[in-house]
Amino acid sequence: MTQASLPRPITLRNSAPPRPTKVALPSLAGTTLAAASMLTLVVLAALFPSWLAPYAPSDMDGGAILLGPDLAHWFGTDQFGRDVLSSVIFGARQSVLIGVLAVSIGGSAGIAIGISAGYLGGWVDMVLMRFVDIWLAVPNILLAIALCTALGPSWTTIILAVSLSSVPRFARVLRARALAIRSRPFVLAARAAGASRWAILRGHVLPHCLPPMLVMATLGIGGSILIASSLSFLGLGVNDETPDWGYLLTQGRGYLTVAWWSVTFPGLAISALVISVNVLGDALRRRLDPRARAQ
């Protein structure tokens, strides 16, 4: 058989499978920037509400009751003729303050319990963790409702109730971190050199527990704000001249069918703040965790 009689090889053109169309998703940096911008706006509203709000939260206008959003009232008015935007701006201070104070108090207690149980071990670990397990068996919102009902509605009671709900999470995470650190070579070397337990805790264990502490604190603020808003929504909050966002929801829920804006905008404010704090907490976790950075 001659070379001319051999069949020519068949060449397939454009035989590669089509590439899937890429869907443009928001980048992590863009999402983090948007969350940081939203959180900055809420903090500014909490620090300087009188500079940003167009009206005082107690100003009532009998001729502007349940008006929809317009140029004079961007978020509309409520059943008393008050500007909803001004109420949302002035209510940011209470919501942010409760979240920060609750995480500071509850986080400090949880960190102390978790690090003590993880580093000391033995009967201390067993007693503290069994106590935390019983604590975890009670739902956070149920514990907060029980405390507010027993002690009466006040800012101190709300902060205490929300703080207690965040203790077990901090204790569990920090215990696991302390258990991993106490067997590290540098801790064993410091112990062999005669360093005291307090010196090892202060100089070695506590600094290495700082990354999860920061992440837990950031994520805990969002959960604390949700619990505090839930208490106010249930009528267990403090009814004063500048109510928080949860109490604004309680006031407007009876007018939802005729004035949707009185509930929608306070609810959006709560959602935006909680989502922003969670996004920043997740970004901080990725930044501080080397395994997350490697992915």
Side-chain angles (χ1 to χ4, degrees):
M1 182 179 294
T2 61
Q3 186 175 2
S5 60
L6 292 176
R8 295 181 179 180
I10 300 175
T11 303
L12 298 178
R13 297 181 179 180
N14 300 328
S15 59
R19 296 181 179 180
T21 303
K22 294 183 178 181
V23 180
L25 296 176
S27 63
L28 181 62
T31 305
T32 305
L33 181 60
S37 301
M38 177 58 65
L39 185 60
T40 302
L41 182 61
V42 173
V43 171
L44 289 176
L47 294 176
F48 312 105
S50 58
W51 293 4
L52 301 177
Y55 305 94
S58 57
D59 289 348
M60 301 182 185
D61 186 0
I65 295 178
L66 297 179
L67 291 181
D70 55 17
L71 295 178
H73 305 280
W74 290 5
F75 286 2
T77 59
D78 60 6
Q79 66 274 18
F80 300 109
R82 298 176 301 186
D83 184 62
V84 176
L85 174 60
S86 301
S87 299
V88 170
I89 292 175
F90 275 90
R93 175 175 296 178
Q94 283 78 4
S95 299
V96 173
L97 186 63
I98 289 174
V100 173
L101 289 179
V103 168
S104 300
I105 298 172
S108 300
I111 289 168
I113 294 173
I115 292 181
S116 300
Y119 180 73
L120 298 177
W123 67 269
V124 176
D125 183 22
M126 183 183 65
V127 171
L128 290 178
M129 285 302 102
R130 296 298 77 76
F131 180 68
V132 171
D133 289 340
I134 296 173
W135 204 331
L136 283 172
V138 182
N140 294 336
I141 187 63
L142 183 60
L143 177 62
I145 290 174
L147 283 175
C148 290
T149 304
L151 301 179
S154 66
W155 290 118
T156 303
T157 305
I158 292 177
I159 292 174
L160 177 63
V162 179
S163 300
L164 291 177
S165 64
S166 61
V167 172
R169 297 195 303 270
F170 280 90
R172 275 294 182 184
V173 173
L174 271 299
R175 173 186 177 270
R177 185 68 173 175
L179 280 173
I181 292 173
R182 73 174 185 176
S183 58
R184 297 284 181 88
F186 56 86
V187 175
L188 299 178
R191 190 181 303 163
S196 62
R197 286 182 173 178
W198 170 246
I200 295 175
L201 282 172
R202 182 183 58 186
H204 298 287
V205 178
L206 195 59
H208 285 81
C209 291
L210 187 60
M213 286 166 49
L214 293 176
V215 175
M216 287 292 297
T218 307
L219 296 175
I221 291 176
S224 300
I225 292 173
L226 279 180
I227 294 177
S229 300
S230 301
L231 291 175
S232 298
F233 181 78
L234 294 174
L236 298 175
V238 180
N239 181 16
D240 56 9
E241 189 173 311
T242 55
D244 62 348
W245 291 339
Y247 197 79
L248 291 177
L249 291 177
T250 303
Q251 289 182 328
R253 64 180 176 179
Y255 303 90
L256 181 60
T257 57
V258 295
W260 56 267
W261 52 86
S262 60
V263 176
T264 301
F265 291 112
L268 288 177
I270 296 173
S271 302
L273 178 57
V274 173
I275 292 174
S276 299
V277 172
N278 288 339
V279 169
L280 291 177
D282 185 68
L284 183 62
R285 179 188 62 83
R286 292 174 178 270
R287 186 74 175 177
L288 297 177
D289 190 357
R291 292 173 298 180
R293 292 200 305 265
Q295 295 178 355

